[in-house]
Amino acid sequence: KAGVTQTPRYLIKTRGQQVTLSCSPISGHRSVSWYQQTPGQGLQFLFEYFSETQRNKGNFPGRFSGRQFSNSRSEMNVSTLELGDSALYLCASSLNGPGQTNEKLFFGSGTQLSVL
Amino acid sequence: DQQVKQNSPSLSVQEGRISILNCDYTNSMFDYFLWYKKYPAEGPTFLISISSIKDKNEDGRFTVFLNKSAKHLSLHIVPSQPGDSAVYFCAASYNNAGNMLTFGGGTRLMVKP
């Protein structure tokens, strides 16, 4: 079974631009979560989608948004990039049906975003 | 406000000995805890988890202990192997939080041959 796939692997943008990152979950997994990893703040939860609906959202500004498609693939978008958005963005998937929590997450290798 | 803390940024252990990684949390609502291992340029890999109804969970060389009264958990690796060298993250969640995990800052484990 293929793992969680994230594209692109590396991305360089300049301040003010916008960026879209893509995530394909493990086949059959219906929940996709996004996390940001930075040296200063560690791993922080961005949002989670299940059945095309945002289920939870972390404490990030509205410039960070996401969506999930009917095939469970997900994208996240960051608009008006700032230098502080430079980070490793990780996507994770799980089976996680409604009412089933506490499942382990399977992470992709991430997209390393550098904002210049 | 860090709700999950790993106070040791790094730990060095000799091969074959025990590695003990510690994690403290402050939010009493947390009822599920996980440990992840991360190699450079890769995403975190799930290691082991424990529900708050238990105080111990074992999987091969890995054992997680939970002390709810102290809001403390630890991961024991016995025996430690050089391939265990990685960054270890503890994470916590609570019922109805879905997959919203709160992570600690990580501990870099180095196992010396």
Side-chain angles (χ1 to χ4, degrees):
Chain A
K1 220 180 208 183
V4 177
T5 305
Q6 290 188 245
T7 56
R9 191 76 176 86
Y10 300 94
L11 206 48
I12 299 175
K13 291 285 187 179
T14 55
R15 274 184 305 174
Q17 286 187 309
Q18 75 161 12
V19 67
T20 299
L21 312 181
S22 180
C23 172
S24 293
I26 292 172
S27 177
H29 284 195
R30 296 163 66 191
S31 170
V32 173
S33 307
W34 289 90
Y35 287 80
Q36 180 197 64
Q37 186 182 19
T38 59
Q41 299 296 321
L43 272 156
Q44 292 187 291
F45 173 79
L46 279 156
F47 25 67
E48 178 192 2
Y49 287 87
F50 178 82
S51 291
E52 302 177 64
T53 301
Q54 187 178 89
R55 195 156 71 164
N56 283 299
K57 189 177 193 305
N59 190 23
F60 279 81
R63 299 185 297 106
F64 291 82
S65 63
R67 58 178 176 167
Q68 186 181 34
F69 302 96
S70 58
N71 61 359
S72 294
R73 194 177 69 82
S74 176
E75 289 181 347
M76 69 162 279
N77 184 278
V78 188
S79 62
T80 320
L81 283 166
E82 300 177 1
L83 295 179
D85 297 333
S86 295
L88 178 67
Y89 290 89
L90 291 160
C91 168
S93 75
S94 73
L95 278 172
N96 218 336
Q100 294 174 352
T101 56
N102 297 342
E103 290 196 13
K104 58 185 183 185
L105 300 184
F106 294 85
F107 283 86
S109 296
T111 294
Q112 183 67 52
L113 172 65
S114 297
V115 182
L116 306 178
Chain B
D1 172 35
Q2 269 191 299
Q3 297 187 60
V4 179
K5 286 184 184 177
Q6 294 176 254
N7 290 317
S8 299
S10 65
L11 175 67
S12 184
V13 168
Q14 205 66 37
E15 180 180 6
R17 305 296 290 269
I18 184 172
S19 295
I20 300 177
L21 295 95
N22 293 304
C23 180
D24 297 296
Y25 62 97
T26 58
N27 190 339
S28 302
M29 288 180 63
F30 288 143
D31 59 6
Y32 187 62
F33 305 88
L34 310 91
W35 284 93
Y36 280 84
K37 178 169 76 171
K38 188 178 185 299
Y39 294 116
E42 293 183 14
T45 303
F46 171 79
L47 265 179
I48 192 168
S49 63
I50 187 167
S51 164
S52 60
I53 62 173
K54 295 184 174 181
D55 54 19
K56 177 183 173 182
N57 189 28
E58 205 169 342
D59 184 2
R61 296 185 298 115
F62 302 92
T63 303
V64 57
F65 295 91
L66 175 62
N67 183 333
K68 289 188 292 293
S69 61
K71 293 191 178 68
H72 176 84
L73 62 154
S74 61
L75 173 68
H76 293 209
I77 307 173
V78 184
S80 302
Q81 300 173 353
D84 296 330
S85 298
V87 178
Y88 289 77
F89 292 95
C90 72
S93 74
Y94 54 88
N95 209 8
N96 299 323
N99 286 324
M100 185 170 66
L101 299 182
T102 301
F103 281 87
T107 297
R108 181 177 301 279
L109 174 66
M110 292 162 285
V111 181
K112 295 181 285 188

